[in-house]
Each structure stands twice: as structure tokens, then as C-alpha cells.
Amino acid sequence: MLRSLVLKGVYKSDQDDILRSFYFPALAAANRYDRAVGYFSASSLSEAAQALTVFIKGDGVIRLVVGAFTAQSDIDAVREGLRLKEISERIGAEMVAAVSDIDDELFQHRFKALAWLIAHGRLEIRVALRPNGIYHDKVGIISDADGDAVVFSGSANESAAALLPTQNYESINVFPTWRPELADFHEPHRDSFTRLWDNKSRGTVVIDLPTALKDNLLEVAASLDGPPDSEREAQIAERLRALEASDEAEPEARLPRAPAMIHGMPFKMREHQLEALRAWQANGYRGVFDLATGAGKTITAVYATVQMAKGIPGLAVVIAAPYQSLADQWCEILEAFNIRPLQCYISKENWHDDLQKRVLDMQGGSDAFQALVVVNRTLRTPEFQAALARIPGNRLLWIGDECHHHGSESLASALPAHAHYRIGLSATPLHYLDEERNARLKAYYGDIVFSYTLAQAIADKVLTPYNYYPTVVPLTADEASEFISLSDDIARAFMREDKGSGPPSTMLTALLMKRARVVGSAANKMIALQKTLAGRPPQQHALFYCGDGQVEMDGVDEDDGAEDGQPTRQIEAVSRLLDDEGWKVSRFTARESRRERESILQSFKTGAIDGLVAIKCLDEGIDVPACSIAYILASSKDPRQFIQRRGRILRRSPGKTIANIHDYIVVLPEDAEDVSGAARKLITGELKRVAEFSGLAENRNEAYAALRPILTAYDLEHVL
């Protein structure tokens, strides 16, 4: 409640973070918010919406008054009940025009908060009209369920500019209503707002929100995947403050630097990270860091950037990530190190012109430091390639995140050959089949200069220990028949190709993928999963990894895109099963938009949903440290995939002491006719993953006992 907060009487922007120290805690305790912000503009609307991302989490209501220019004739007409629609439409059009072209990130985030609240019936906006001028009062009343309130007034415009001490000197005065000695200060403001809202304020006429602006807000709300996030608002505001402060500071203040705190903890490099950097330096500032997922590859590379920027004037760092979600995570980490990179992804219009200017500065040596973050798709474009080629190579640090992607022919040719300094980052740098790909990777980045295994990370308490629970799942008779037939076709294709270590042909790849889908989407996995979940309540922070194939299900709804008794995608089947079991889950696949994925991940992290049902989109890089349990219903034979997946759930998180992995191991049924030995090959292939997972598990003996019957049947006890 409000009375429990420690509030200052005056907040000044040169000393206080008004957003975090006042608005966030006060509105988080509120169930009602009355606000008047003066003349309508983009900045005043941003002011009105400040910290409403916190207010969204409750169920309180907001009354907002904004002012507008008008004439005496308009006031008279409205008072007489004339031309109200005409005047409202004109003002509404002016308001929409005032906000339609604003691309400021902070404004857009807060505008979405207003839109969400309007759409959910929790925000009412009215417009105050005054003749020969504007309504200009600025007052707020934050009330809680106990009847207490905090009244504040003053000059603070919570727009982007007003948040920056170097732009405007702002202050607000705060008056808690439970302090009787302050009654003469807060009561006039409360009475004034009530009169204004009720259209009883002398010299002012109040009308409802114009339809044009309300429709605009509702349109924005319809495009949202979820409510805007308060932490994101704070990050944007902090970045704006830091950016403005650095622009006014000496050039040295804009250089990268290690933070005092990161992720709420004191920052300190781990010994294995420093060892990696020493090995990289000894190798001529080139090489690959083979660090276990969650061991801090990103931090290691950024710290290298900080150190190199001290000794190389005009250093330019270019970071290439495979996906936008990973690029966003890089940008967040970089900001903690006082690095504000140009984001070269999403839309070319957002970065192309700025990139040209920055490259000119890099060529001329006028910038002390520059940073770019690009995704692999943009990296290959002619526009980015042309700009990249113009960056002086003797001042270029190239960082390839998940660098195993750069072994492909198309990406290898896009890497800057003139970059003097190169870091490759991957928990799984080498491909288990394609030696040509591995050779291209080594030719560019050099050797793996440092490795840090999962066993080391768990022993050093960098990652969380885990339990492993394998479940044997036999194929159905039809699945077994198809698997054996495909295995025979694959064997014949291998004999025809005989390409040694080269990549498989298109036809062979198609056969391998088809057989993998049979294993990944085995129908009996659904029965096994149901048994695993039976009698257990839903558990938060769970991941379900599915295949991209189909399973047979009875009674499938038409909404799932299949007739009764026909195949449906495994991810749909798993989602339905979890829904039946009372789980709140969301799918996380390539079908969801970037915005949808961001919203889903936020819901997952906060516990608004219990789990994610994914295909492949969580295999690399996505940071979900809170995850504590995984169900692996499909996995390829590529060690890269299951190593990445295991690392995904072993990241450290507050209160997380152990992780649990449930794995479903496919075998042929005992009565399958297996002349070619497909059954043994299948279980042998599956056991590569099982051996990797069980070897470091806390309950490795229990895992072995669960698999012992099948190991004995195929004389494979030696594998584990």
C-alpha cells in the first residue's frame, strides 16, 4: 500500500530517477490514478503514460485529462449543445496527426500502454478546452484500496527529453494525504481535478475523448500480443539518459567500460572467461571459444571489446548473430558495458543511412569507438557488405555468435576477410558430419583456442546440476515398417554416393529427414508423456521440445486443421494434451512473429504461463534461465541440437537448485521384422544422446537402470 512507501517531498531530475524511485513504486501500489497533464502533445501523452506499464498488472482504473487549443466560439457552441461532433472530430484529427509520425521508442512503448488500458476498459480520457489558450494544469492523484492517496504536482514532463537532466531541469512536489499537516497542499489539487472531470471547472469545457484518437488507440491495442512491460520501459528510459549524458561528455566517457553490476549482481569475470581471452591473445587475436551453453560467451567477447577499445583508438566491433532475438540480447548486454550499437536488422530503413555516416566516421578516425550488431541474413546483403568492406581492417574486431553457422558456403563468403581481430563463439562449433563446413570455419576464425565443458561448468557452479529421466517408447507397427523401409533406402543411397566426408545429396538428406520425422513424431510418445504428467500439478518454467512431423490422434477438432482420426502436428497434440491436464502453455515456433515471441517469453519468465511448446526456435541462444524442467519429445542425431537444448535449462537462476530432463527414447517393437539390423542402429543412434545426457546427471545410476533392459536386449551395455 502507499503508506508503506518511503517517499520524498520533492523529486528533482538532476538527482533522482523519477521513473524508478517515484512512479513505479507508487503506481504498483495503486488501484486508481487521476492525471491531468496540460496541453495535448506527444510529450504530454508520454508523460501521461509514464509507468502505466506497472499499473497494467493490477485491475485499477485511470482518469486522464488533456488540454487542447480552441476558440471562444467553439466553447460557446459546446456549452449550447451545438457543433460538438464537428469540434470533437477536428480536435481528434489534430491529436492523431500529433502522434502518428512519432517514432521515439519511449513514446511508442507508453502509447501502447495507453492503448492496452483503453481496450480493456480501464482508462477514460477527457479533453479540457479553454478559450484563448490551453488547459495547462499538471497534477496527479495516486490512490490505493485503503483510501490513502499521494498527490503530486510540478513541472516534470516525463517525455524522453524531460527524463534527461541535460535537457530540462524538472521537479515534482509530493503530498501524501495521510499526513494531515499537508492538507492545505493536497486538498486543493484533489478538489480541482474533481471539478475538472465533472465539467464544473470555471472557464473550461470538458468533452469526451474524440473518436479519431480512441479508434487509433484501439487499432494499436488490436496489434498487441500482450501488455507492454515495465522493465522494458525502464531500460529505454535509462538508455536515453545514458545516451544524452554521453553525448554531452568527453569522448573518453563514451568508450566501453565494465559495469559495476550486471543482472542485479556485482560484475566479475570468471577465471575460465579470462583464460579464454588469454588464449585468444596468444593466438594473434583470432580463434573460437568453445564454451558450454550458459558459460558466458557473450560476456567474454564484450569484455574483450572493452579491453581492446582501451588500446586501439577508433576500434569498430561488428557482431553477427543468427537471429533477431539473439541480436536483441546482444544489444541489452552491450548497453550494460556503455556500448550503444547500431542495430542492423529488422528494416533497412532503420539502419542504412546511419550506417553510412558511421562508416565515414570510422574511415576518418573521428570516432573513438563504434559498434554494429547485424543478423546473418542482413550480413549477406549487398548494402551491408559494401559498408563492411569500408571499415578499416586494422581497427575491426569481428565477433561471430553461434559461429558454426558461418561454416556454410554462403555465410563464409560474407565474412570480412580484412578484419584483423576475430572471435568465434559457439558451444558446438564443429559439425558432426560435414568436414568441409568445419574446414571453412577454421580457415576464417582459426583454431578452437579454448574449451570449457559442461562438466567443468557444473563443477564450478556456473551451471545448475540436473537429473535425467529416460523413457523407452516403441514405434507402432506402421511406424516401424516405414522406419525399416526408409532405413533400407538410406543404406542404398549411401552406397551409391560414397562421398566420404562430404555433405549428403539432396535426395539422401530428404530420406534422412523423413526417417527422423518418423522417430520424432512417434505416436506412443503422447501416451508416455501423459503417463509422465499424470497426477502431477502443472509446473512453471517448463519446456516441451516437439518434432515437426505428425501423430495420429482421435477426435481432433477442425480448428487443428485435420479431420477426425487424421494426423495432426505433434506440437498441436502436445499443446492439447497439456491443456487437458490444466497447463497454461504457449507455442514457440517459427510461425510466431518476432513480437509474439517477445510477448510469449515475457509471459514465460514472469510465470503467466507454465511452459513453452517449441520445435527448434529455442535451440540456440534464447536466454530462459528460469527454466527448470524439459521434456524432449523429439531430437535430431546432431549432437549440436541436444547439447544446446540441455544447456538451455541449466542456466543459473535465483532459487533454482536442480534441473530435470525427461527424454523419450524411441525403439522398434520387439516383434518387428528387422533383417537389416535397423533396430540396433536406431537404438544405437538414440543412445548417443542418452550417453551424453546421463553421463553428467546427478541420478546417472537411476537413468541406467531405466534403460538396462533395452541395452541388454541389444548387447549395448557398454555404450553407457
Side-chain angles (χ1 to χ4, degrees):
M1 294 293 103
L2 289 169
R3 195 177 290 231
S4 65
L5 301 179
V6 178
L7 299 173
K8 297 173 63 174
V10 179
Y11 290 85
K12 295 181 179 292
S13 60
D14 66 330
Q15 296 178 329
D16 302 303
D17 181 344
I18 298 176
L19 179 64
R20 282 193 182 274
S21 59
F22 174 69
Y23 283 101
F24 274 179
L27 286 174
N31 71 342
R32 181 167 179 157
Y33 184 30
D34 294 336
R35 190 72 164 107
V37 291
Y39 171 60
F40 182 93
S41 65
S43 62
S44 68
L45 210 58
S46 180
E47 174 186 355
Q50 181 172 10
L52 292 189
T53 46
V54 167
F55 197 81
I56 281 172
K57 296 177 182 179
D59 58 0
V61 294
I62 302 169
R63 298 186 300 178
L64 171 63
V65 178
V66 295
F69 282 112
T70 189
Q72 181 65 54
S73 58
D74 291 338
I75 294 290
D76 294 339
V78 172
R79 283 175 175 162
E80 295 170 9
L82 303 173
R83 298 173 46 228
L84 175 59
K85 182 178 180 181
E86 172 196 335
I87 295 167
S88 179
E89 287 179 351
R90 189 197 73 221
I91 293 173
E94 292 171 354
M95 289 179 168
V96 171
V99 301
S100 60
D101 295 327
I102 304 297
D103 59 0
D104 174 77
E105 187 180 7
L106 185 63
F107 170 79
Q108 291 294 337
H109 192 79
R110 291 173 172 174
F111 193 70
K112 290 174 183 177
L114 289 172
W116 193 92
L117 288 161
I118 281 279
H120 287 76
R122 293 175 51 195
L123 168 64
E124 187 175 357
I125 304 177
R126 294 181 182 176
V127 181
L129 308 178
R130 285 182 64 87
N132 305 316
I134 59 171
Y135 169 76
H136 201 68
D137 198 12
K138 293 180 180 179
V139 65
I141 305 165
I142 301 173
S143 307
D144 65 17
D146 291 341
D148 288 327
V150 172
V151 179
F152 64 93
S153 67
S155 62
N157 292 313
E158 295 83 14
S159 61
L163 283 168
L164 310 179
T166 54
Q167 287 266 342
N168 297 321
Y169 184 83
E170 307 290 348
S171 67
I172 57 172
N173 301 311
V174 178
F175 310 108
T177 60
W178 57 88
R179 294 180 56 184
E181 70 273 18
L182 298 178
D184 288 344
F185 296 95
H186 61 72
E187 287 181 356
H189 288 305
R190 300 178 80 180
D191 293 343
S192 174
F193 186 90
T194 300
R195 290 195 305 272
L196 183 67
W197 187 262
D198 293 339
N199 200 14
K200 296 179 180 178
S201 184
R202 187 172 59 194
T204 303
V205 169
V206 177
I207 64 173
D208 290 334
L209 178 67
T211 302
L213 183 57
K214 184 174 183 179
D215 289 347
N216 183 262
L217 286 162
L218 290 174
E219 183 179 351
V220 170
S223 68
L224 298 178
D225 302 310
D229 176 49
S230 57
E231 188 57 35
R232 177 64 177 158
E233 179 184 1
Q235 289 172 355
I236 296 169
E238 287 170 3
R239 185 168 70 248
L240 288 170
R241 279 196 300 271
L243 180 61
E244 183 65 22
S246 66
D247 286 344
E248 296 294 322
E250 293 298 319
E252 291 76 11
R254 300 198 295 270
L255 287 173
R257 59 175 180 267
M261 304 282 290
I262 192 165
H263 301 317
M265 300 291 290
F267 173 73
K268 183 181 180 181
M269 289 288 286
R270 295 180 178 271
E271 182 55 35
H272 72 270
Q273 296 170 321
L274 295 174
E275 285 184 35
L277 293 179
R278 288 192 288 266
W280 174 66
Q281 182 181 20
N283 198 52
Y285 298 95
R286 293 190 181 186
V288 173
F289 297 165
D290 178 7
L291 304 183
T293 298
K297 296 187 294 293
T298 303
I299 294 292
T300 305
V302 177
Y303 189 77
T305 303
V306 171
Q307 298 304 107
M308 292 193 71
K310 295 176 181 178
I312 304 177
L315 178 72
V317 60
V318 181
I319 300 159
Y323 316 117
Q324 291 180 5
S325 52
L326 296 187
D328 287 341
Q329 289 181 185
W330 270 94
C331 292
E332 291 176 11
I333 294 295
L334 288 167
E335 286 174 11
F337 286 79
N338 199 40
I339 300 173
R340 285 167 291 281
L342 177 62
Q343 296 170 259
C344 300
Y345 52 97
I346 303 177
S347 171
K348 186 173 70 174
E349 287 71 24
N350 292 346
W351 56 263
H352 183 265
D353 291 346
D354 198 358
L355 177 59
Q356 304 308 308
K357 295 175 184 176
R358 293 197 184 200
V359 168
L360 286 174
D361 291 338
M362 294 178 210
Q363 289 178 310
S366 60
D367 265 352
F369 176 79
Q370 281 286 5
L372 311 175
V373 176
V374 64
V375 297
N376 288 341
R377 179 178 295 180
T378 303
L379 169 64
R380 291 181 291 197
T381 63
E383 295 86 354
F384 191 85
Q385 282 290 302
L388 184 61
R390 290 159 51 203
I391 300 175
N394 64 338
R395 290 186 271 122
L396 175 55
L397 169 59
W398 173 265
I399 299 174
D401 187 28
E402 306 294 352
C403 66
H404 48 268
H405 290 277
H406 295 163
S408 70
E409 287 189 58
S410 61
L411 281 173
S413 63
L415 304 178
H418 66 302
H420 282 213
Y421 313 103
R422 306 173 187 178
I423 298 177
L425 303 172
S426 178
T428 52
L430 300 180
H431 195 280
Y432 78 117
L433 289 178
D434 195 338
E435 289 301 325
E436 292 180 7
R437 192 183 187 103
N438 296 337
R440 285 190 291 267
L441 189 72
K442 182 177 180 180
Y444 184 77
Y445 287 102
D447 295 326
I448 296 173
V449 294
F450 186 79
S451 295
Y452 187 68
T453 66
L454 196 80
Q456 291 173 294
I458 293 175
D460 292 345
K461 298 184 179 180
V462 173
L463 296 179
T464 308
Y466 68 96
N467 290 318
Y468 179 62
Y469 302 100
T471 299
V472 175
V473 179
L475 294 174
T476 65
D478 289 343
E479 290 168 344
S481 177
E482 184 178 7
F483 179 88
I484 292 171
S485 176
L486 287 168
S487 296
D488 292 342
D489 291 342
I490 290 168
R492 286 190 290 269
F494 264 117
M495 291 180 63
R496 285 194 301 269
E497 293 188 13
D498 191 25
K499 287 187 176 181
S501 62
S505 68
T506 302
M507 183 190 74
L508 179 54
T509 299
L511 288 171
L512 290 168
M513 290 178 64
K514 190 173 182 181
R515 185 177 66 175
R517 287 194 181 99
V518 173
V519 175
S521 301
N524 285 331
K525 288 183 180 180
M526 297 303 302
I527 298 173
L529 176 61
Q530 190 169 27
K531 289 181 179 179
T532 303
L533 300 178
R536 299 183 182 183
Q539 182 174 342
Q540 288 189 340
H541 304 131
L543 297 182
F544 295 82
Y545 283 107
C546 299
D548 58 359
Q550 297 178 325
V551 295
E552 298 285 344
M553 285 189 68
D554 293 329
V556 176
D557 290 342
E558 291 182 2
D559 289 343
D560 286 332
E563 300 293 337
D564 284 356
Q566 294 300 310
T568 187
R569 296 176 73 224
Q570 186 184 63
I571 193 168
E572 293 163 354
V574 171
S575 298
R576 166 176 292 189
L577 171 61
L578 292 171
D579 184 63
D580 291 343
E581 294 290 331
W583 288 66
K584 294 182 292 184
V585 297
S586 289
R587 301 178 193 179
F588 195 89
T589 72
R591 294 188 177 188
E592 281 71 49
S593 68
R594 178 170 177 264
R595 180 181 295 174
E596 288 172 329
R597 291 187 201 179
E598 289 175 353
S599 176
I600 291 169
L601 282 177
Q602 182 62 28
S603 296
F604 180 78
K605 291 173 183 178
T606 60
I609 58 175
D610 300 316
L612 300 178
V613 185
I615 295 181
K616 293 181 180 178
C617 291
L618 283 170
D619 284 356
E620 289 182 336
I622 303 298
D623 193 9
V624 283
C627 173
S628 57
I629 188 167
Y631 299 84
I632 301 177
L633 293 154
S635 185
S636 73
K637 290 185 178 180
D638 187 348
R640 175 174 295 145
Q641 185 188 79
F642 56 74
I643 289 173
Q644 294 271 10
R645 288 181 173 183
R646 177 175 55 175
R648 196 68 49 235
I649 73 159
L650 301 189
R651 293 176 183 265
R652 286 281 179 181
S653 183
K656 179 178 171 181
T657 58
I658 192 80
N660 295 291
I661 301 173
H662 292 266
D663 197 3
Y664 297 86
I665 315 303
V666 174
V667 300
L668 261 67
E670 294 180 2
D671 57 353
E673 295 185 9
D674 183 21
V675 177
S676 63
R680 182 182 176 87
K681 294 175 184 176
L682 172 60
I683 187 61
T684 301
E686 289 279 86
L687 285 178
K688 290 179 181 178
R689 180 177 79 254
V690 175
E692 177 71 32
F693 276 41
S694 63
L696 297 177
E698 296 289 292
N699 66 333
R700 60 182 65 86
N701 293 333
E702 180 185 350
Y704 178 81
L707 292 169
R708 187 171 183 177
I710 194 71
L711 296 174
T712 302
Y714 290 98
D715 192 25
L716 292 172
E717 295 99 325
H718 62 282
V719 176
L720 296 185

